Amino acid sequence: MEESHRTKETFNVTPWEVSGPVDYDKLLHQFGVKRLDHILLSRVKKLSGERLHPMIRRNFVYAHRDLDLILNDYESGKGFFIYTGRGPSGPMHIGHLVPLLFNKWLQDTFDLNLHIQVTDDEKFVYKQDAKWEDIDHHTKQNLIDIAALGFNPDKTFIFRDSEYIKNTYPLLLKIAKKITLSTARATFGFQNETNLGLTFYPVYQIATTFFEEKRCLVPCAIDQDPYFRMQRDIAESLGFKKTATLYSKFLPSLTGTYGKMSSSLADTAIWLDDDEKKVKNKINKYAFSGGQATVEEHRRMGGNPEVDVSFQWLKILFEPSDPKLRVIEHDYHTGKLLTGELKQILIERVNSFLIAHREKRKRTEKELDRYMYSGKLAKQMWGKQF
Ligand code: TYM
């Protein structure tokens, strides 16, 4: 189907499914979140020492709730903490790294505590056919992939829900008591057939925002907003602060710039364990091109970087230098750079990223303990009973 026809289709964004051509402006209104405006951007820029992350600079991280309050707390010395998560339903693809890498930048730039929730419970109850043993296996592998990104080991707590529940269950009950089934249905679309595990799970995703007294900021993709909308409705009645959020768009799948890279479409995602040959073949075969049908036409008319997946992946994740990105964009737009050449640039970037990741992964197996149990923050968290 032509990319232009897709814009007339409807779209749907929920924590469990993203379908259709996402209209990110409409989503702001649907969810009631605010756009990151110039005033906020320049405040973040100043506080970051004039070094904004490319994802913010390039309007990929684009929406928020109460980011102004977070910046006020930072400026006044009260500080804040960050929290994000991952549902270990299977192996990880590069889309899952997007929020984690952005969180790493925030942690490094503002010297923040970071809590990473790994929701083995959520994925077990969500996937009807999931066996606990499989989820357990994926959880262990995901934990290593996450830790390999190199967070500050003394300021990061990575936990899996089924294990840390020992410390949190009373807090979960307090939250659960505040949320009626009809609110949960309205927020998440639960049906009569939904199992009780899935209806209870949201209280845990909310609970992590209460792990510290400071205000929490949750940087993630916008699909997770329903949880935090609900958090904001009940937080103050429990004596906690409303959480702030910072939302990105989605890294698209290889086949088009309109949706998100998703685990359910294996060939159109790049997995962290895809070898060099696989990456090359997938990008060459599937990456949606904004180029023309023939080389002659492309030289004459140029390509469209806006809909070209290879260009968009470079923009979001793999080309941090603005001047270099501008050259690529210009050359593609004017027909100097061919689709095959653009794909080649991306293939090299993705492969060198994945090779380095797998190297770090090997070393991290030993370091995981610090993030989960023995680092400074992890120790503090295991000593807390909520
Ligand atoms: P999960 O495992 O579905 O996704 C993990 C994180 O990755 C984001 N994400 C993407 N971001 C950009 N492009 C994509 N193509 C893409 N696909 C997924 C998701 O928004 C998410 O941030 N319930 C959550 C786990 C969780 C969580 C949290 C997430 C627990 N607490 C707090 C964010 C913040 C889940 O299943 O995520």
Side-chain angles (χ1 to χ4, degrees):
M1 193 187 303
E2 288 291 318
E3 194 75 10
S4 57
H5 293 160
R6 286 203 162 97
T7 54
K8 295 188 187 74
E9 291 170 32
T10 54
F11 68 94
N12 190 27
V13 174
T14 75
W16 296 292
E17 198 208 346
V18 174
S19 62
V22 180
D23 181 330
Y24 289 103
D25 290 333
K26 273 201 189 140
L27 259 191
L28 296 177
H29 299 290
Q30 264 181 26
F31 286 179
V33 298
K34 290 194 179 141
R35 186 188 301 283
L36 256 183
D37 60 23
H38 285 298
I39 299 170
L40 277 175
L41 273 180
S42 51
R43 279 180 79 187
V44 180
K45 189 172 175 192
K46 194 166 155 224
L47 294 172
S48 68
E50 304 293 319
R51 295 220 303 255
L52 274 185
H53 191 278
M55 287 185 204
I56 294 204
R57 274 200 321 259
R58 296 173 186 170
N59 195 31
F60 179 71
V61 170
Y62 86 115
H64 75 102
R65 291 181 183 273
D66 283 350
L67 184 66
D68 40 340
L69 298 187
I70 288 287
L71 299 181
N72 293 351
D73 283 356
Y74 186 74
E75 284 166 346
S76 70
K78 283 191 204 154
F80 66 99
F81 75 100
I82 48 176
Y83 149 47
T84 200
R86 155 75 185 144
S89 51
M92 289 173 72
H93 58 60
I94 56 171
H96 296 130
L97 295 187
V98 165
L100 290 163
L101 292 169
F102 186 66
N103 273 273
K104 177 173 158 48
W105 175 77
L106 283 171
Q107 177 178 59
D108 293 345
T109 306
F110 297 100
D111 193 25
L112 301 169
N113 278 357
L114 164 63
H115 299 259
I116 304 178
Q117 175 174 26
V118 179
T119 60
D120 49 0
D121 53 347
E122 174 194 14
K123 294 305 164 181
F124 177 66
V125 292
Y126 175 66
K127 287 183 98 179
Q128 277 307 332
D129 56 348
K131 294 196 184 67
W132 180 254
E133 294 69 30
D134 295 338
I135 296 292
D136 184 56
H137 167 77
H138 293 311
T139 303
K140 287 174 179 150
Q141 295 304 313
N142 281 202
L143 284 166
I144 302 169
D145 279 312
I146 295 169
L149 299 178
F151 300 101
N152 178 339
D154 280 320
K155 289 189 164 244
T156 304
F157 179 45
I158 308 180
F159 65 100
R160 55 184 292 183
D161 281 354
S162 63
E163 188 177 37
Y164 195 57
I165 188 123
K166 296 185 199 106
N167 295 49
T168 55
Y169 197 48
L171 174 61
L172 303 197
L173 294 176
K174 288 177 206 162
I175 297 167
K177 211 168 161 180
K178 290 278 174 195
I179 301 167
T180 64
L181 197 51
S182 71
T183 302
R185 270 175 188 267
T187 310
F188 294 104
F190 294 144
Q191 308 283 320
N192 287 347
E193 301 72 38
T194 306
N195 69 60
L196 291 182
L198 198 58
T199 63
F200 186 74
Y201 165 72
V203 303
Y204 212 154
Q205 184 148 339
I206 288 174
T208 311
T209 62
F210 301 148
F211 277 11
E212 298 196 20
E213 270 174 34
K214 296 170 184 174
R215 193 181 294 276
C216 178
L217 173 70
V218 189
C220 60
I222 193 162
D223 59 336
Q224 302 294 312
D225 183 64
Y227 293 100
F228 305 114
R229 223 182 298 152
M230 194 178 245
Q231 191 273 8
R232 292 166 57 84
D233 286 341
I234 56 131
E236 287 175 350
S237 71
L238 286 166
F240 294 107
K241 294 185 180 68
K242 287 185 181 185
T243 193
T245 61
L246 188 49
Y247 295 132
S248 75
K249 301 173 185 173
F250 301 110
L251 183 82
S253 79
L254 281 169
T255 43
T257 48
Y258 49 87
K260 79 161 183 173
M261 180 177 288
S262 157
S263 304
S264 48
L265 298 165
D267 274 351
T268 70
I270 298 284
W271 302 90
L272 300 187
D273 62 358
D274 278 350
D275 63 25
E276 289 171 72
K277 207 169 142 208
K278 250 195 196 149
V279 168
K280 182 175 169 206
N281 290 343
K282 277 190 192 174
I283 292 177
N284 279 332
K285 186 164 173 194
Y286 296 111
F288 187 86
S289 164
Q292 306 298 338
T294 64
V295 172
E296 292 68 36
E297 278 178 37
H298 189 85
R299 293 276 187 230
R300 190 158 42 84
M301 294 154 71
N304 179 1
E306 278 307 301
V307 300
D308 190 285
V309 168
S310 304
F311 180 77
Q312 290 302 320
W313 282 21
L314 288 170
K315 184 173 172 185
I316 295 165
L317 211 51
F318 295 107
E319 181 46 86
S321 153
D322 287 347
K324 283 187 189 159
L325 190 75
R326 268 199 297 275
V327 171
I328 295 172
E329 185 171 23
H330 174 267
D331 288 355
Y332 193 59
H333 194 60
T334 54
K336 188 173 164 201
L337 190 67
L338 299 174
T339 295
E341 293 165 336
L342 179 58
K343 286 188 175 188
Q344 191 50 37
I345 298 174
L346 181 69
I347 290 166
E348 278 161 27
R349 295 298 171 85
V350 173
N351 273 331
S352 61
F353 176 85
L354 290 180
I355 290 165
H357 178 74
R358 287 191 285 264
E359 275 307 307
K360 283 186 235 152
R361 207 178 182 282
K362 279 187 212 148
R363 295 196 295 273
T364 309
E365 290 207 59
K366 291 182 226 103
E367 288 164 25
L368 194 53
D369 192 70
R370 282 187 78 189
Y371 293 107
M372 295 187 71
Y373 311 107
S374 63
K376 198 167 153 218
L377 180 62
K379 257 198 199 142
Q380 263 172 31
M381 294 307 293
W382 282 105
K384 272 190 188 180
Q385 190 66 50
F386 291 98

